[in-house]
């Protein structure tokens, strides 16, 4: 009989209304009791915490991914993690960066709280348990299952603040669909080889610097002064930045601080096209992150700095080329 482990961390799926607003306080066993798992599936449960995902740190995230992997090592056929949707795209991506197992780790949550008159959590949890125990989910890495669809880690984003279809993978699409008792394959994700990241070690600080009309380099320099070992630029369009940012980025790369270029646009890759914009960044040694979001790019750059401190750029180039 297949067995899936349910690891709960909090989020809206576990939240109830209180005097100050919503607060996550429903444990895994209660989440499971409120849903209808697939027939014949054994589900074990444990709790890692009851927090909003907006309060998680990268240290918490390393602990969460390590715990999910430990549950696979113990013999579960798959793991489902419940957490808040706000940072779920980061959690699933870190889990995927190190995932070297055919069995899936599936993240899910909810847009409406546990005590809502029409909660979406129970259906999302039932679908995630079904995906986690399905042969169709093997070898797809870490997945995010929401509103009847499962997305590969790379490229998945929260695309709506409130609607139940909270996630999308713009330009990529879902990889699985849950239809009744079936899990239908829709596509195979592009996955690079897992990174040998030691989850017990702190990740180097990497900051995301946003570009907006007329940005100067003050925040970029402040990030470095605060200890950033790498910078992600949330650039305009296909990877352009204002001249002061381009100039500062050149200096950083020359000084050994890698710069990764992502876009503030939700769909499509960045490319070094414009002489005074993206092409200038590329000439200065910045790395272009394809269609990776700044938030996922930040984790990739931090992991590259941790795994290959002598040449993170080479690791990034290899990882992003796959
Ligand atoms: N809106 C969030 C959620 O869906 C809150 C959080 O990230 O915990 O759970």
């Amino acid at each position: 009989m297949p067995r899936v482990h349910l690891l709960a961390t909090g989020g809206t799926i576990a939240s109830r209304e209180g005097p100050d607003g919503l607060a996550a306080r429903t444990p895994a066993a209660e989440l499971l009791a409120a849903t209808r798992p697939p027939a014949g599936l054994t589900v074990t449960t444990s709790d890692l915490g009851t927090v909003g995902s907006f309060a998680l740190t990268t240290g918490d995230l390393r602990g969460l991914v390590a715990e999910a992997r430990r549950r696979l090592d113990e013999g579960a056929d798959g793991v489902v993690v419940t957490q808040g949707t706000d940072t779920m795209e980061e959690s699933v991506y870190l889990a995927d960066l190190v995932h070297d197992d055919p069995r899936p780790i599936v993240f899910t949550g909810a847009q409406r709280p546990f005590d809502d008159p029409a909660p979406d959590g129970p259906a999302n949890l039932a679908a995630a348990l079904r995906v986690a125990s399905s042969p169709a989910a093997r070898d797809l890495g870490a997945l995010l299952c929401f509103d009847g669809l499962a997305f590969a880690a790379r490229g998945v984003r929260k695309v709506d603040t409130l609607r139940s279809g909270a996630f999308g993978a713009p330009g990529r699409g879902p990889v699985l669909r849950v239809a009744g008792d079936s899990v239908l394959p829709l596509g195979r994700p592009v996955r690079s080889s897992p990174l040998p990241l030691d989850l017990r070690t702190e990740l180097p600080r990497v900051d995301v610097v946003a570009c907006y009309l007329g940005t100067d380099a003050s925040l970029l320099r402040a990030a470095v002064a605060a200890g950033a070992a790498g910078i992600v630029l949330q650039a305009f369009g296909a990877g352009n930045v204002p001249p002061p940012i381009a100039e500062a980025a050149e200096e950083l790369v020359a000084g050994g601080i890698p710069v990764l270029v992502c876009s503030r646009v939700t769909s499509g890759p960045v490319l070094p096209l414009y002489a005074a914009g993206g092409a200038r960044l590329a000439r200065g040694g910045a790395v272009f992150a394809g269609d990776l979001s700044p938030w996922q790019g930040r984790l990739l750059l931090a992991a590259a700095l941790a795994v290959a401190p002598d040449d993170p750029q080479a690791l990034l180039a290899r990882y992003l080329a796959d």
Side-chain angles (χ1 to χ4, degrees):
M1 187 183 292
R3 177 172 74 83
V4 168
H5 187 79
L6 168 62
L7 180 60
T9 71
T12 298
I13 191 168
S15 291
R16 299 164 194 253
E17 195 63 57
D20 300 323
L22 294 170
R25 49 199 161 86
T26 311
E30 215 178 320
L31 296 180
L32 182 63
T35 193
R36 197 143 45 90
L41 182 69
T42 300
V43 183
T44 49
T45 64
S46 63
D47 293 282
L48 209 55
T50 46
V51 291
S53 74
F54 46 83
L56 295 174
T57 64
T58 46
D60 295 331
L61 200 50
R62 286 187 287 109
L64 163 58
V65 173
E67 176 62 11
R69 290 164 62 81
R70 196 177 70 77
R71 295 294 174 174
L72 286 179
D73 290 345
E74 274 180 1
D77 296 290
V79 171
V80 169
V81 178
T82 54
Q83 81 153 73
T85 53
D86 287 356
T87 60
M88 200 185 285
E89 66 206 64
E90 286 159 84
S91 305
V92 70
Y93 188 67
L94 185 71
D96 192 64
L97 278 179
V98 296
H99 199 62
D100 52 3
D101 195 298
R103 296 167 294 175
I105 298 175
V106 184
F107 287 77
T108 196
Q111 288 283 65
R112 294 186 294 277
F114 186 78
D115 59 359
D116 190 274
D120 53 334
N124 282 344
L125 181 53
L129 291 168
R130 190 171 292 286
V131 166
S133 56
S134 167
R138 287 180 78 84
D139 293 312
L140 302 183
L143 299 169
L144 190 157
C145 182
F146 222 89
D147 200 30
L149 298 172
F151 300 91
R154 186 168 173 171
V156 69
R157 288 168 177 243
K158 190 167 182 183
V159 293
D160 198 284
T161 54
L162 294 173
R163 288 176 56 237
S164 47
F167 287 91
R172 290 176 181 255
V175 293
L176 298 171
R177 181 183 182 117
V178 181
D181 291 351
S182 309
V183 178
L184 309 175
L186 299 178
R188 291 199 69 82
V190 181
R191 288 194 75 227
S192 311
S193 331
L195 296 180
L197 182 69
D198 182 352
L199 291 167
R200 291 164 306 184
T201 312
E202 209 179 311
L203 285 169
R205 176 174 180 142
V206 172
D207 284 308
V208 178
V209 174
C211 288
Y212 41 88
L213 204 79
T215 332
D216 67 16
S218 316
L219 292 179
L220 182 52
R221 295 196 194 285
V224 175
I231 292 287
V232 174
L233 294 177
Q234 187 181 14
F236 300 123
N240 301 304
V241 297
I245 296 283
E247 192 183 320
E250 282 164 1
E251 282 169 28
L252 292 191
V253 176
I257 297 188
V259 173
L260 187 66
V261 184
C262 298
S263 179
R264 64 182 206 172
V265 180
T266 49
S267 179
V270 284
L271 288 174
L273 294 177
Y274 294 89
R280 179 173 177 189
L281 286 174
R283 282 197 305 277
V287 178
F288 280 60
D291 67 352
L292 211 57
S293 72
W295 336 117
Q296 293 194 339
R298 171 180 170 260
L299 290 171
L300 176 61
L301 179 50
L305 283 160
V307 169
D310 295 336
D311 197 357
Q313 270 98 337
L315 190 148
L316 286 174
R318 183 167 50 76
Y319 201 86
L320 290 163
D322 282 344

